[in-house]
Protein backbone atom coordinates (compact mmCIF):
# COMPACT_ATOMS: atom_id res chain seq x y z
CA UNK A 1 0.00 0.00 0.00
CA UNK A 2 1.36 3.39 -1.01
CA UNK A 3 1.63 6.07 1.67
CA UNK A 4 2.51 9.72 1.45
CA UNK A 5 4.41 11.52 4.17
CA UNK A 6 4.14 15.23 4.72
CA UNK A 7 7.73 16.05 5.56
CA UNK A 8 7.29 19.71 6.42
CA UNK A 9 4.64 20.32 9.06
CA UNK A 10 4.62 23.97 7.99
CA UNK A 11 3.45 23.06 4.49
CA UNK A 12 -0.25 23.36 3.65
CA UNK A 13 -2.26 20.29 2.63
CA UNK A 14 -5.87 19.32 1.95
CA UNK A 15 -7.60 16.90 4.33
CA UNK A 16 -10.72 15.12 3.09
CA UNK A 17 -13.11 13.58 5.60
CA UNK A 18 -15.51 11.22 3.84
CA UNK A 19 -18.15 9.57 6.01
CA UNK A 20 -21.86 9.39 6.68
CA UNK A 21 -21.74 12.70 8.52
CA UNK A 22 -19.33 14.70 6.39
CA UNK A 23 -17.94 14.81 2.88
CA UNK A 24 -15.59 17.77 3.10
CA UNK A 25 -12.17 19.01 2.12
CA UNK A 26 -10.29 21.21 4.57
CA UNK A 27 -7.38 23.42 3.60
CA UNK A 28 -4.92 22.95 6.47
CA UNK A 29 -2.21 25.59 6.82
CA UNK A 30 0.36 26.59 9.43
CA UNK A 31 -0.74 29.37 11.76
CA UNK A 32 1.34 31.91 13.69
CA UNK A 33 -0.49 31.67 17.02
CA UNK A 34 -1.92 28.17 16.71
CA UNK A 35 -0.38 24.99 15.40
CA UNK A 36 -2.59 25.00 12.29
CA UNK A 37 -5.65 26.62 10.80
CA UNK A 38 -8.23 24.67 8.82
CA UNK A 39 -11.08 25.87 6.69
CA UNK A 40 -13.60 24.05 4.57
CA UNK A 41 -12.91 24.59 0.86
CA UNK A 42 -15.19 21.91 -0.63
CA UNK A 43 -18.15 19.86 0.60
CA UNK A 44 -21.21 17.92 -0.40
CA UNK A 45 -24.15 20.30 -0.51
CA UNK A 46 -26.72 17.62 0.35
CA UNK A 47 -26.20 13.89 0.95
CA UNK A 48 -22.90 12.78 2.37
CA UNK A 49 -21.04 9.89 0.73
CA UNK A 50 -21.67 7.49 3.61
CA UNK A 51 -25.37 8.35 3.65
CA UNK A 52 -25.64 7.55 -0.06
CA UNK A 53 -23.79 4.26 0.39
CA UNK A 54 -25.92 3.19 3.36
CA UNK A 55 -29.22 4.23 1.78
CA UNK A 56 -28.34 2.33 -1.38
CA UNK A 57 -27.29 -0.71 0.60
CA UNK A 58 -30.55 -0.73 2.57
CA UNK A 59 -32.50 -0.52 -0.72
CA UNK A 60 -30.52 -3.52 -1.94
CA UNK A 61 -31.32 -5.48 1.24
CA UNK A 62 -27.86 -5.22 2.81
CA UNK A 63 -27.28 -4.97 6.55
CA UNK A 64 -26.64 -1.49 7.97
CA UNK A 65 -24.00 -0.08 7.99
CA UNK A 66 -23.70 -1.12 4.37
CA UNK A 67 -20.25 0.05 3.25
CA UNK A 68 -18.30 -3.24 3.31
CA UNK A 69 -21.17 -5.29 1.83
CA UNK A 70 -21.82 -2.70 -0.90
CA UNK A 71 -18.13 -2.78 -1.82
CA UNK A 72 -18.16 -6.60 -2.08
CA UNK A 73 -21.25 -6.39 -4.27
CA UNK A 74 -19.67 -3.72 -6.50
CA UNK A 75 -16.59 -5.89 -7.00
CA UNK A 76 -18.85 -8.49 -8.66
CA UNK A 77 -19.94 -6.02 -11.36
CA UNK A 78 -18.27 -6.06 -14.78
CA UNK A 79 -19.84 -2.74 -15.77
CA UNK A 80 -17.75 0.41 -15.84
CA UNK A 81 -19.34 3.82 -15.53
CA UNK A 82 -18.13 7.18 -16.76
CA UNK A 83 -19.78 9.61 -14.35
CA UNK A 84 -20.00 13.37 -14.69
CA UNK A 85 -20.41 14.59 -11.12
CA UNK A 86 -22.86 17.32 -10.20
CA UNK A 87 -20.58 20.16 -9.10
CA UNK A 88 -21.09 23.78 -8.14
CA UNK A 89 -17.61 25.21 -7.82
CA UNK A 90 -15.73 22.86 -5.51
CA UNK A 91 -18.92 21.51 -3.92
CA UNK A 92 -20.61 18.32 -5.07
CA UNK A 93 -24.20 17.13 -4.92
CA UNK A 94 -24.99 13.46 -4.38
CA UNK A 95 -28.80 13.53 -4.10
CA UNK A 96 -29.22 13.01 -7.84
CA UNK A 97 -27.27 9.76 -7.53
CA UNK A 98 -29.85 8.52 -5.02
CA UNK A 99 -32.59 9.33 -7.54
CA UNK A 100 -30.70 7.37 -10.20
CA UNK A 101 -30.43 4.41 -7.83
CA UNK A 102 -34.23 4.37 -7.50
CA UNK A 103 -34.61 4.46 -11.31
CA UNK A 104 -32.06 1.65 -11.75
CA UNK A 105 -33.86 -0.47 -9.15
CA UNK A 106 -37.19 0.06 -10.92
CA UNK A 107 -35.56 -0.83 -14.25
CA UNK A 108 -34.33 -4.12 -12.80
CA UNK A 109 -30.59 -3.38 -12.94
CA UNK A 110 -28.41 -5.97 -11.23
CA UNK A 111 -27.61 -5.12 -7.57
CA UNK A 112 -23.87 -5.45 -8.27
CA UNK A 113 -24.14 -2.90 -11.10
CA UNK A 114 -26.09 -0.48 -8.88
CA UNK A 115 -23.44 -0.83 -6.18
CA UNK A 116 -20.70 -0.14 -8.73
CA UNK A 117 -22.65 2.87 -10.04
CA UNK A 118 -22.88 4.37 -6.55
CA UNK A 119 -19.19 3.90 -5.77
CA UNK A 120 -18.25 5.26 -9.20
CA UNK A 121 -20.44 8.28 -8.51
CA UNK A 122 -18.81 8.93 -5.12
CA UNK A 123 -15.40 8.56 -6.74
CA UNK A 124 -16.30 11.02 -9.50
CA UNK A 125 -17.56 13.54 -6.93
CA UNK A 126 -14.35 13.26 -4.92
CA UNK A 127 -12.30 13.65 -8.08
CA UNK A 128 -14.32 16.74 -9.01
CA UNK A 129 -13.65 18.20 -5.57
CA UNK A 130 -9.92 17.46 -5.87
CA UNK A 131 -9.71 19.07 -9.31
CA UNK A 132 -11.54 22.20 -8.10
CA UNK A 133 -9.33 22.48 -5.01
CA UNK A 134 -6.18 22.01 -7.10
CA UNK A 135 -7.38 24.70 -9.53
CA UNK A 136 -7.89 27.14 -6.68
CA UNK A 137 -4.96 26.33 -4.35
CA UNK A 138 -2.44 24.41 -6.44
CA UNK A 139 -1.59 20.73 -6.29
CA UNK A 140 -1.21 20.33 -2.54
CA UNK A 141 -0.69 17.03 -0.75
CA UNK A 142 -3.96 15.23 -0.02
CA UNK A 143 -5.07 13.26 3.03
CA UNK A 144 -8.22 11.10 2.90
CA UNK A 145 -9.88 9.90 6.12
CA UNK A 146 -13.26 8.74 7.37
CA UNK A 147 -15.18 5.49 7.31
CA UNK A 148 -16.02 5.64 3.60
CA UNK A 149 -12.31 5.71 2.81
CA UNK A 150 -11.96 2.14 4.09
CA UNK A 151 -13.45 1.18 0.71
CA UNK A 152 -10.68 -0.27 -1.47
CA UNK A 153 -12.29 0.87 -4.73
CA UNK A 154 -12.40 4.48 -3.56
CA UNK A 155 -8.90 4.38 -2.09
CA UNK A 156 -7.53 3.06 -5.39
CA UNK A 157 -9.36 5.77 -7.33
CA UNK A 158 -8.13 8.49 -4.96
CA UNK A 159 -4.55 7.37 -5.51
CA UNK A 160 -5.06 7.43 -9.27
CA UNK A 161 -6.36 10.97 -9.47
CA UNK A 162 -3.98 12.21 -6.79
CA UNK A 163 -0.97 11.11 -8.81
CA UNK A 164 -2.31 11.75 -12.31
CA UNK A 165 -3.92 15.18 -11.88
CA UNK A 166 -2.43 17.84 -14.14
CA UNK A 167 0.19 20.02 -12.52
Amino acid sequence: QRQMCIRDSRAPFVAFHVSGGTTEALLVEPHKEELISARCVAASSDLKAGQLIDRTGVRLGLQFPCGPALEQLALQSRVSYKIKPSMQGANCSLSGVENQVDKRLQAGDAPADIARFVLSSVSAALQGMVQAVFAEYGQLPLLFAGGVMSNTILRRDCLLYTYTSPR
Side-chain angles (χ1 to χ4, degrees):
Q1 185 168 334
R2 190 175 205 178
Q3 295 181 351
M4 285 180 34
C5 294
I6 299 174
R7 301 205 189 291
D8 183 352
S9 63
R10 296 164 301 190
F13 64 95
V14 179
F16 278 80
H17 189 255
V18 188
S19 70
T22 58
T23 299
E24 298 178 336
L26 302 176
L27 177 62
V28 181
E29 300 176 291
H31 191 271
K32 289 181 183 176
E33 287 92 38
E34 305 291 332
L35 180 62
I36 59 167
S37 71
R39 62 187 164 98
C40 187
V41 294
S44 175
S45 60
D46 46 33
L47 278 182
K48 308 313 176 208
Q51 286 178 303
L52 174 62
I53 288 167
D54 285 335
R55 289 180 182 186
T56 300
V58 167
R59 284 177 170 89
L60 294 174
L62 303 177
Q63 187 174 356
F64 183 88
C66 304
L70 192 80
E71 176 183 5
Q72 290 308 308
L73 197 55
L75 289 169
Q76 297 171 24
S77 175
R78 297 294 166 235
V79 177
S80 112
Y81 294 96
K82 197 141 176 93
I83 307 287
K84 184 178 186 300
S86 176
M87 303 293 297
Q88 182 152 5
N91 297 326
C92 70
S93 170
L94 295 171
S95 61
V97 178
E98 185 176 34
N99 296 333
Q100 286 294 314
V101 165
D102 290 337
K103 288 179 184 175
R104 289 170 186 276
L105 280 167
Q106 290 172 356
D109 286 12
D113 295 342
I114 293 171
R116 175 64 80 167
F117 170 75
V118 166
L119 294 180
S120 295
S121 297
V122 170
S123 177
L126 291 173
Q127 183 175 14
M129 293 168 76
V130 167
Q131 289 172 340
V133 168
F134 281 178
E136 181 71 22
Y137 301 101
Q139 194 166 357
L140 297 172
L142 299 173
L143 170 71
F144 290 90
V148 170
M149 293 313 302
S150 66
N151 181 293
T152 59
I153 296 168
L154 295 175
R155 281 200 323 258
R156 182 206 62 217
D157 290 353
C158 287
L159 280 174
L160 286 175
Y161 52 74
T162 297
Y163 290 106
T164 58
S165 293
R167 292 189 184 262

